[in-house]
């Protein structure tokens, strides 16, 4: 096994352009857990509630010294769907065991009060973990229909207290049965707004959730889902689990999105997110291949994955996409199917790669590294720490000037 700190091969940017140096933090051949005891692990095996080949890390987010990871229950045998590991590499383990969050009691399959199938998570600046739980499980089961006994919901935890803060259940009017919640971004201003993408076999939508009013609307008019396949590491596999990736620019008040079945990157102003946005969507440009993850930093740089090229791209959204988007990192071993990004408080960009193509194809090999967390220092933070939008800043400045003027008049 490779040890922590292995350098990922990089050689790709245009002359004179800075390239982030990514290094491996953790890698896993297969995933294991911090079980309550050895008997619990034995029983999970015996009852087929734990099948290592069906456990895959799909998403990552960082808070202080903790990395939060999601393990979707698209197949059976996944004992926990939301887990943590230390984000500070431990010298005695390059493959740490996963700790269920907030506890094992929240991981019970079939208990609708527990977490059922989590892919998308986000953490706001106040330390609240937003969890988009699809409810539906085993959408990739070999026989029969997916189990959609439990409703989809948005759950918010206080990380420090490890406590449930609130829960919002999505109605069938908002989400069709068997829809999967694939991504989430948060506007941290005021009482906070969440934008959550949902995908089923036919269409994609965005749910806008207002934390202040505990209400949500469904946004339609997005590109229709199309059957497609992806070539990773020379193997073509059907993309059975589609994703609508999201990235939010608080500064520009713009939501960027990319469907996994298209190479095109799109944008829409958040003020235009209403019942039908088809007339407000703006095509930005091609991502040079199918993608599965987007993220914006505090300096308006958009990072994106390119699956067929085992690579990461970057574009400063204040410049023309055609002229300034570029591949920054490429490696056909370490970056097989990069599926998620995260920023930490030390201005590091984290990337998760998970060889998802083998999971989709049903040929996971537990004798090779399947999951890697890598990171690079970027001198930037999460999009949620970007400066205030220009319009807000001007409004605040105007208000301040008016108040000062009133004070001066009163003192005369």
């Amino acid at each position: 096994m490779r040890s922590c700190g292995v350098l990922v091969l990089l050689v790709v940017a245009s002359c004179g352009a800075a390239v982030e140096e990514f290094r491996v933090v953790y890698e896993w051949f297969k995933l294991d857990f911090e079980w309550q005891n050895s008997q619990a692990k034995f029983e999970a095996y015996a009852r087929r509630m734990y099948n290592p080949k069906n456990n895959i890390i799909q998403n990552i987010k960082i808070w202080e010294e903790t990395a939060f990871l999601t393990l979707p229950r698209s197949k059976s045998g996944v004992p926990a769907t939301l887990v943590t590991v230390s984000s500070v590499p431990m010298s005695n383990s390059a493959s740490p065991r996963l700790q269920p969050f907030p506890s094992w009691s929240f991981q019970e399959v079939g208990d609708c009060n527990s977490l059922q199938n989590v892919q998308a998570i986000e953490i706001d600046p106040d330390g609240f973990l937003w969890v988009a739980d699809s409810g539906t499980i085993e959408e990739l089961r070999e026989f029969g229909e997916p189990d959609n006994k439990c409703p989809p919901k948005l759950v918010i935890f206080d990380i420090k207290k490890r406590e449930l803060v609130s829960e919002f259940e999505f109605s069938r009017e908002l989400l069709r049965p068997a829809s999967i919640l694939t991504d989430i971004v948060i506007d941290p201003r005021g009482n906070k707004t969440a934008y959550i993408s949902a995908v089923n076999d036919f269409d994609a939508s965005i749910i806008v959730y207002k934390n202040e009013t505990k209400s949500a609307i469904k946004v339609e008019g997005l590109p229709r889902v199309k059957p497609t396949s992806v070539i990773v590491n020379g193997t073509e596999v059907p993309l059975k689990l589609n994703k609508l990736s999201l990235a939010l620019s608080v500064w520009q008040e713009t939501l960027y999105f990319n469907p996994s079945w298209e190479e095109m990157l799109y944008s829409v102003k958040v003020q235009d997110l209403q019942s039908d946005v088809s007339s407000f969507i703006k095509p930005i440009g091609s991502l040079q291949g199918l993608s599965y993850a987007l993220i914006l930093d505090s300096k308006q740089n958009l990072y994106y994955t390119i699956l067929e090229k085992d690579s990461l791209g970057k574009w400063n959204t204040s410049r023309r996409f055609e002229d300034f988007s570029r591949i920054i990192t490429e490696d056909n071993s370490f970056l097989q199917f990069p599926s998620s990004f995260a920023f930490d408080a030390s201005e590091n960009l984290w990337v998760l790669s998970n060889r998802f193509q083998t999971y989709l194809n049903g040929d996971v090999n537990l004798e090779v590294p399947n999951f890697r967390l890598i990171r690079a220092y970027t001198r930037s933070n999460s999009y949620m720490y970007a400066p205030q939008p220009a319009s807000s800043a001007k409004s605040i400045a105007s208000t301040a000037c008016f108040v000062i003027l009133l004070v001066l008049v009163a003192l005369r």
Side-chain angles (χ1 to χ4, degrees):
M1 178 183 294
R2 297 178 185 268
S3 61
C4 296
V6 177
L7 177 64
V8 175
L9 299 178
L10 307 173
V11 238
V12 208
S14 56
C15 284
V19 181
E20 290 81 355
E21 183 178 287
F22 285 90
R23 292 181 179 271
V24 175
V25 179
Y26 294 129
E27 64 180 18
W28 292 264
F29 285 60
K30 67 177 182 179
L31 303 175
D32 201 358
F33 300 83
E34 291 286 357
W35 301 90
Q36 302 97 317
N37 49 56
S38 57
Q39 181 64 23
K41 182 175 182 178
F42 174 79
E43 290 181 359
Y45 264 123
R47 296 166 58 191
R48 298 183 180 180
M49 296 178 64
Y50 176 42
N51 180 350
K53 286 192 173 184
N54 288 351
N55 285 255
I56 185 170
I57 307 174
Q58 190 72 288
N59 207 327
I60 175 176
K61 288 295 179 283
I62 308 291
W63 175 256
E64 294 182 347
E65 296 184 351
T66 302
F68 290 80
L69 309 173
T70 68
L71 281 63
R73 285 186 168 131
S74 304
K75 299 181 180 182
S76 63
V78 182
T81 187
L82 179 62
V83 299
T84 64
V85 296
S86 172
S87 62
V88 180
M90 311 301 287
S91 58
N92 61 346
S93 177
S95 308
R97 292 185 177 183
L98 311 179
Q99 177 68 53
F101 183 91
S103 65
W104 275 108
S105 63
F106 268 86
Q107 312 296 329
E108 189 69 30
V109 176
D111 178 358
C112 296
N113 294 316
S114 297
L115 299 173
Q116 295 303 299
N117 186 0
V118 177
Q119 292 190 27
I121 55 174
E122 184 57 285
I123 303 173
D124 68 34
D126 297 318
F128 291 98
L129 174 66
W130 299 56
V131 180
D133 183 357
S134 299
T136 295
I137 62 173
E138 297 182 27
E139 65 270 27
L140 289 183
R141 64 168 56 178
E142 191 173 353
F143 302 104
E145 295 296 318
D147 182 348
N148 58 6
K149 167 190 170 184
C150 295
K153 59 189 177 184
L154 176 64
V155 182
I156 303 177
F157 291 100
D158 183 320
I159 294 176
K160 290 184 177 180
K161 295 181 180 179
R162 301 177 76 91
E163 291 180 354
L164 178 67
V165 174
S166 68
E167 182 176 308
F168 181 84
E169 185 178 307
F170 297 109
S171 67
R172 290 304 183 194
E173 289 72 32
L174 285 174
L175 289 174
R176 293 182 182 177
S179 292
I180 301 300
L181 304 176
T182 63
D183 209 353
I184 178 173
V185 290
I186 296 171
D187 184 339
R189 297 172 297 170
N191 285 302
K192 304 169 188 173
T193 300
Y195 303 93
I196 307 166
S197 61
V199 178
N200 56 47
D201 291 338
F202 308 102
D203 59 16
S205 59
I206 294 173
I207 304 298
V208 181
Y209 171 78
K210 298 285 188 180
N211 195 47
E212 181 177 15
T213 58
K214 302 293 188 292
S215 61
I217 63 167
K218 180 180 182 179
V219 178
E220 297 182 293
L222 304 172
R224 298 278 294 180
V225 174
K226 294 180 290 188
T228 188
S229 60
V230 60
I231 300 174
V232 180
N233 197 33
T235 301
E236 183 174 5
V237 297
L239 198 55
K240 301 174 185 176
L241 288 177
N242 278 300
K243 177 183 179 181
L244 185 68
S245 299
L246 306 178
L248 178 65
S249 171
V250 178
W251 171 263
Q252 299 168 333
E253 298 187 322
T254 297
L255 185 69
Y256 294 90
F257 65 91
N258 166 249
S260 61
W261 56 94
E262 289 186 16
E263 296 183 9
M264 184 61 65
L265 174 69
Y266 298 92
S267 73
V268 61
K269 291 292 184 180
V270 294
Q271 67 186 29
D272 295 326
L273 289 172
Q274 45 193 282
S275 58
D276 188 331
V277 294
S278 54
S279 60
F280 299 104
I281 293 174
K282 177 184 176 183
I284 300 297
S286 171
L287 295 178
Q288 303 126 309
L290 297 180
S291 179
Y292 213 71
L294 306 173
I295 196 170
L296 263 159
D297 68 10
S298 55
K299 297 180 179 178
Q300 303 310 307
N301 294 304
L302 178 74
Y303 292 87
Y304 53 93
T305 66
I306 308 173
L307 302 180
E308 288 107 329
K309 296 183 179 180
D310 305 312
S311 62
L312 309 177
K314 180 181 178 180
W315 166 54
N316 188 296
T317 58
S318 63
R319 301 184 175 186
R320 279 173 49 87
F321 182 86
E322 294 81 2
D323 299 330
F324 291 96
S325 61
R326 59 188 175 87
I327 294 176
I328 58 167
T329 306
E330 186 172 14
D331 190 286
N332 59 14
S333 176
F334 290 85
L335 286 174
Q336 281 191 38
F337 216 109
S339 68
S340 180
F341 292 109
F343 278 97
D344 64 23
S346 299
E347 301 185 337
N348 292 307
L349 174 66
W350 291 64
V351 183
L352 163 68
S353 65
N354 63 7
R355 287 168 49 87
F356 194 38
Q357 78 279 5
T358 64
Y359 177 87
L360 293 172
N361 228 20
D363 57 3
V364 174
N365 181 0
L366 299 180
E367 302 301 317
V368 300
N370 285 295
F371 317 104
R372 289 188 173 96
L373 295 183
I374 66 176
R375 70 182 179 192
Y377 180 61
T378 62
R379 299 179 178 84
S380 59
N381 292 309
S382 161
Y383 66 94
M384 285 183 280
Y385 295 90
Q388 282 189 318
S391 57
S392 298
K394 288 178 181 178
S395 175
I396 292 172
S398 299
T399 302
C401 289
F402 180 70
V403 170
I404 292 171
L405 182 59
L406 288 178
V407 171
L408 291 174
V409 169
L411 291 174
R412 289 187 62 182

